[in-house]
Amino acid sequence: MSLNSFGPGSGSGRKRDGRVSSVALSRHKLKMSLKRGGPPPAASSGTAVMTTSLDSVQQKIPTVVSSGYDSEKPQGGRNNASIGQPKFIRSDMADVPVQQAAGSTLPLVITRKKGGGDSDDGNYNPFEHRKVEHPTSDLETFVHLLKGSLGSGILAMPMAFSHAGLWFGLVATFAVGTLCTYCVHVLVKCAHILCRRRKIPMMGFADVAEQAFLDGPPALNRWSRFIRFMVNSFLVLDLLGCCCIYLVFVATNVEQVVSVYLETVLSVRVWIMIVTVPLIFMCLVRNLKFLTPFSMIANILMFVGIVITFIYMFTDLPAPAERPGLVAVSEWPLFFGTVIFALEGIGVVMSLENDMRNPTHFIGCPSVLNFGMGLVIALYTLVGFFGFLKYGPDTQASITLNLPLEDKLAQSVKLMIAIAIFFTFTLQFYVPISILWKGLEHKIRPERQNISEYGLRVALVVLCGGIAVALPNLGPFISLIGAVCLSTLGMIVPATIELAVYHEDPGYGRFNWRLWKNSGLILFGVVGFVAGTYVSIIEFHAEFSGGH
């Protein structure tokens, strides 16, 4: 540790004593400042800046300046138990100097280790410091949750039951749905803990993951940038995978209807290319406001189409004894991947919670999440059970493909839902392009940003079209996306986040029950990931080899 000389001295011994006493004084001031919870003291006039060596890495302690959010008043001192090794927190919402720690991409500020004397952290209410222009009510959030969770996946539920059996599928769907809902609870609860602990008003999914690693065991700090990158990457893969599935879905339904009236039958791959062309131009729209009318049209068409599908599905139902109650274990991974794909809406929950007028109503019992996901699970189970009961071994990847081809009403249903999914593509595409462009924008010169963004949009739509042409089998595709992306985001990541957040305070509980519980969730997610991916790849291989 070195310190420049303070003023003139009267000999080398006196200068050395002055340097030692100045170092001790600076240490004392810094310790007292951290104990009071304030910023480090500024160097006095005529005093040089002190540079310390911490593990051979020179580092300056930043000073927190005024926040863009409502700042809280000091709430008393801390005891010595709260002073320990530095931890790092997000500060992009607190307007502090940018510091890089553990390779993190976020602006960070040094703070103290979470521990025994942080009683004043519990008095900070992040919800009072949020500035949301148009906060949503509980009912509006409930509706948005339904819209985010009820999508094309509901049409694939009968196929999921065909890979589980009628009665096992009934029980397993409720079990997997409950597990998905619980993992959402875990994620949101950990976000609330981190917001209070680090005095941050709100966080997104990737923010929660990164902050949990920065706030967790020292061994995880260096992986904070990686976990943020991984969450965003899997979100992008999930949403782009859904876009590929949408292309296959639209092309398959249109091909069925058109083949009734045309003698020349075009393959599904050709229809995917045809459908991709107009989507290239639609996805060049950068303002979400201009896509709102298409969303309204899609919602109306989807609702009408599903109601008519229900009419067909509940007509002339056979006896449940005619369907297998349980199928071979080797088919279960396809069931798991499809149900996860259909039910998992974890990518939208943090944005919904951040926009609520009363965020505490989102989780708990009762709560918006419980009511919303309870209704979603009930609807998906209903469609899966009666769809498989109706069509049995002939169940297609989408229930609409089982509707009679010659029936005019059935043809209208196929086209209505195909148009609804077509319009939904542009909305689904908006999120991944936003994530990707946010990471690339600062690397491109301003005069080339417009053309670069349009080029990225065109390239991604063409990429989705190319993947859909290469893998036009809807069933394994749905299962693959569910197994790879949503088992990771929906189970593995939330469980890992809770282990990091609870590592030190309040701990893992008696007998380390939180450790065992989350280890089980991670294991279940990993098994679903590996098994679902393997079986989906086997299905694709069988298709390409002509054995499907």
Side-chain angles (χ1 to χ4, degrees), residues 436-464:
L436 291 174
W437 180 244
K438 185 178 179 180
L440 296 174
E441 184 177 12
H442 66 282
K443 300 179 181 179
I444 301 174
R445 290 180 296 176
E447 63 271 15
R448 298 185 61 85
Q449 285 186 356
N450 279 337
I451 187 66
S452 299
E453 183 179 357
Y454 284 129
L456 178 63
R457 288 173 174 268
V458 172
L460 284 180
V461 176
V462 173
L463 175 64
C464 290

Side-chain angles (χ1 to χ4, degrees), residues 525-546:
V526 170
V527 170
F529 181 105
V530 174
T533 303
Y534 174 77
V535 174
S536 298
I537 292 174
I538 293 298
E539 288 282 309
F540 282 124
H541 180 267
E543 178 184 356
F544 286 123
S545 62

Side-chain angles (χ1 to χ4, degrees), residues 282 294-295 297-298 301 418-428:
M282 292 185 66
F294 297 105
S295 176
I297 295 173
L301 291 176
I419 294 172
I421 298 299
F422 179 86
F423 287 151
T424 305
F425 182 100
T426 57
L427 300 173
Q428 192 86 349

Side-chain angles (χ1 to χ4, degrees), residues 278-293:
L279 284 174
I280 292 176
F281 297 97
M282 292 185 66
C283 288
L284 295 179
V285 179
R286 296 188 291 184
N287 194 331
L288 194 60
K289 179 179 67 175
F290 299 121
L291 300 177
T292 302

Side-chain angles (χ1 to χ4, degrees), residues 240-241 243-245 247-248 268-277 279-280 425 458-473 477 540 544:
L240 290 180
C243 289
C244 298
I245 291 171
L247 284 173
V248 177
V268 172
R269 288 185 167 91
V270 174
W271 279 108
I272 291 174
M273 291 187 284
I274 294 173
V275 170
T276 302
V277 174
L279 284 174
I280 292 176
F425 182 100
V458 172
L460 284 180
V461 176
V462 173
L463 175 64
C464 290
I467 294 174
V469 168
L471 305 172
N473 191 336
F477 207 158
F540 282 124
F544 286 123

Side-chain angles (χ1 to χ4, degrees), residues 25-44 49-50 52 59-65 96-97 99 109-112:
L25 178 61
S26 299
R27 283 178 172 174
H28 177 70
K29 287 182 178 181
L30 177 59
K31 183 176 180 181
M32 294 305 294
S33 174
L34 290 176
K35 187 180 285 188
R36 290 192 299 269
S44 60
V49 178
M50 180 181 71
T52 63
Q59 183 179 30
K60 292 182 181 180
I61 298 180
T63 301
V64 180
V65 295
V96 301
Q99 297 289 322
V109 61
I110 297 179
T111 185
R112 287 156 306 282

